[in-house]
Amino acid sequence: MNEKMKILYVITARGGSRGIPRKNIKSLGGKPLIAYSVELARSLSADEDICVSTDDEEIIRVVEGLGLHVPFRRPAELSGDHSGSYEVLLHALDYYESIGRHYDVMVLLQPTSPFRKESFVREALELYTPDIDMVVSVRAAASNPYYHCYKEGNDSFLQPVMGDVRFTRRQDAPPVWEHNGSIYVINTSSLRKMSLGEFTRCRKYVMDDMYSVDLDTLFDWKVAELLLREKLVSL
């Protein structure tokens, strides 16, 4: 990572949530969930280069209660159940460019991944170079399509996802990875051209399962509470 590159840290936090109501400000380990991402971003950057993008007045109050100014309220049309990260990130980028501030790199920190260490983000940044689209955090996939993933065929029978390309022993199958939602180091030039799902030049940053917890359901929340209570993660 070129130290002269300008980095914008973006924390996306809409008010609506079906799986865990009001999860972004729900208390986890004695503090609002979003505080984990705010504190991490502040350990990496000056406040002026941190953007919390939210549509929700209560989230704004919580974040500003932590001492971080929220620069704008996200428009309602970018805050529904079907709103994508791509449009939200472009909106943030456009806002800063409108006030004369330009960024080479955007680091997306989603509040639903609270177990990120500062060292994790710094290591991911070290993997970034301007000739790629993104560095993204991953974990080893729980299921391997080369070994034990199946789809239902037209005859209603299960068929291997990979067709004839199969391995009879898991350890022989090539490793596969899944995004864990924790860290995205994004080339802003690439973001201007295509969505994250269209990126082809991506490097992985590997995290283990415990630090990869992504809070989407109440079960996930219980797991996170257990990990904190038993001190199985350290931040």
Side-chain angles (χ1 to χ4, degrees), residues 95-192:
Y95 167 80
Y96 284 99
E97 291 191 356
S98 74
I99 60 173
R101 289 164 60 185
H102 303 274
Y103 292 92
D104 305 295
V105 178
M106 178 180 285
V107 176
L108 170 60
L109 303 172
Q110 299 183 119
T112 47
S113 297
F115 300 150
R116 279 177 300 246
K117 291 186 177 185
E118 177 185 338
S119 61
F120 295 171
V121 180
R122 293 193 184 279
E123 288 165 359
L125 285 167
E126 285 298 315
L127 295 173
Y128 177 83
T129 53
D131 59 330
I132 69 170
D133 299 320
M134 178 171 66
V135 175
V136 61
S137 59
V138 300
R139 64 178 177 182
S143 297
N144 191 317
Y146 291 99
Y147 176 64
H148 58 10
C149 285
Y150 296 84
K151 61 184 177 181
E152 190 173 44
N154 293 333
D155 55 6
S156 78
F157 294 132
L158 294 178
Q159 302 173 350
V161 169
M162 300 301 292
D164 293 333
V165 184
R166 294 186 66 209
F167 293 81
T168 57
R169 299 194 314 159
R170 182 187 180 99
Q171 59 267 37
D172 293 334
V176 293
W177 311 94
E178 61 185 18
H179 291 185
N180 67 0
S182 186
I183 303 167
Y184 299 80
V185 180
I186 303 165
N187 185 328
T188 57
S189 294
S190 297
L191 190 68
R192 286 291 187 195

Side-chain angles (χ1 to χ4, degrees), residues 23 110 112-114 139 180-181 212-217 220-221:
K23 67 181 174 184
Q110 299 183 119
T112 47
S113 297
R139 64 178 177 182
N180 67 0
S212 293
V213 167
D214 181 20
L215 301 178
D216 188 45
T217 67
D220 299 330
W221 194 275

Side-chain angles (χ1 to χ4, degrees), residues 14-28 33 111-112 213-225:
R14 69 184 185 92
S17 173
R18 292 184 178 181
I20 308 171
R22 307 296 293 163
K23 67 181 174 184
N24 286 313
I25 53 176
K26 182 178 172 69
S27 180
L28 176 69
L33 178 63
T112 47
V213 167
D214 181 20
L215 301 178
D216 188 45
T217 67
L218 287 174
F219 176 79
D220 299 330
W221 194 275
K222 292 298 182 182
V223 170
E225 289 179 328

Side-chain angles (χ1 to χ4, degrees), residues 14-74:
R14 69 184 185 92
S17 173
R18 292 184 178 181
I20 308 171
R22 307 296 293 163
K23 67 181 174 184
N24 286 313
I25 53 176
K26 182 178 172 69
S27 180
L28 176 69
K31 59 187 176 184
L33 178 63
I34 198 169
Y36 288 86
S37 295
V38 169
E39 291 168 2
L40 173 64
R42 295 178 100 179
S43 74
L44 293 159
S45 174
D47 284 5
E48 66 179 12
D49 297 321
I50 301 171
C51 172
V52 172
S53 173
T54 183
D55 62 314
D56 188 88
E57 285 295 339
E58 190 174 5
I59 291 176
I60 292 173
R61 286 197 298 272
V62 168
V63 171
E64 296 198 334
L66 297 170
L68 179 66
H69 174 64
V70 177
F72 55 77
R73 181 171 177 175
R74 192 197 306 173

